[in-house]
Amino acid sequence: MTTPAAPTPEPKAEPVQPAAPGTPRTARSWLRDHSELGVSILLLALGVLVLTDALTMNVDITQRGPVGPKTVPVVVGIGLLIVAALLTVDVLRGGRGQAETGEDVDLGEPADWRTVLLLSGVFLGFAVLIEPLGFPAAGALLFWGAAYALGSRRVDRDPLIAAVLSLAAYALFDKLLGVPLPGGPLMGVL
């Protein structure tokens, strides 16, 4: 009768000791811990760009009163700078953004590239067709194509809704707001 061999003990892993409080940290680990500063830098650059563009705008001819075309870009630029400063202070004080939990998105599923490519094609088609067809027709194709790309297959209802939305958007921008949009060949009929 043979006796079973005694199991060999597994080697124990050395416990990782946390760095002592006085130990210098590497720049890479500091940047990893403060990665939200990248958003602050992006907001700062965007704010400076908006303010520079707004303040160098020539508005002598287009000025129509106390609130001119510079007002909104200046307010947006200042707002971007304020948000960048507040976010920087929060991150440097130890604030961290919450990690994405994906409660309504299955993060294990791959991206739906078919939908992305269909939507990209629809937008590119709109950009190409807006001049020869005009906004009402190209906009209807845009709305219908976007609905199809996002999963709607109601061919009895979707074209009608797309045409109504496109004509309403055209009327709103061209007629009410005074933003000229190309009407295309259908404007002689409408």
Side-chain angles (χ1 to χ4, degrees):
M1 185 166 141
T2 60
T3 58
T8 57
E10 303 245 347
K12 292 185 179 180
E14 294 290 323
V16 177
Q17 298 293 328
T23 306
R25 297 175 57 186
T26 64
R28 187 177 196 150
S29 68
W30 187 88
L31 286 174
R32 187 178 307 121
D33 291 341
H34 297 89
S35 60
E36 289 91 352
L37 289 176
V39 177
S40 295
I41 293 169
L42 178 68
L43 291 173
L44 176 71
L46 192 59
V48 168
L49 177 70
V50 168
L51 276 177
T52 303
D53 195 33
L55 294 176
T56 58
M57 187 185 307
N58 186 6
V59 293
D60 295 337
I61 297 171
T62 61
Q63 185 72 34
R64 295 183 179 178
V67 178
K70 283 186 176 185
T71 306
V72 172
V74 168
V75 169
V76 169
I78 290 172
L80 286 168
L81 294 178
I82 290 171
V83 169
L86 291 174
L87 181 60
T88 302
V89 168
D90 181 53
V91 169
L92 293 177
R93 287 185 176 173
R96 301 212 24 109
Q98 284 186 328
E100 175 64 41
T101 58
E103 63 188 53
D104 61 344
V105 176
D106 186 6
L107 297 176
E109 289 292 318
D112 185 10
W113 289 108
R114 179 182 179 272
T115 302
V116 171
L117 291 175
L118 279 173
L119 281 173
S120 299
V122 166
F123 284 118
L124 182 62
F126 174 73
V128 169
L129 294 175
I130 192 169
E131 217 31 68
L133 294 182
F135 184 85
L141 291 173
L142 170 73
F143 293 136
W144 188 17
Y148 182 84
L150 294 173
S152 178
R153 300 295 186 259
R154 298 283 309 260
V155 294
D156 58 333
R157 170 188 74 181
D158 291 345
L160 180 62
I161 293 173
V164 168
L165 281 175
S166 182
L167 285 172
Y170 177 79
L172 175 73
F173 282 96
D174 194 62
K175 305 300 181 200
L176 294 176
L177 296 176
V179 177
L181 294 174
L186 291 179
M187 287 303 99
V189 176
L190 297 177

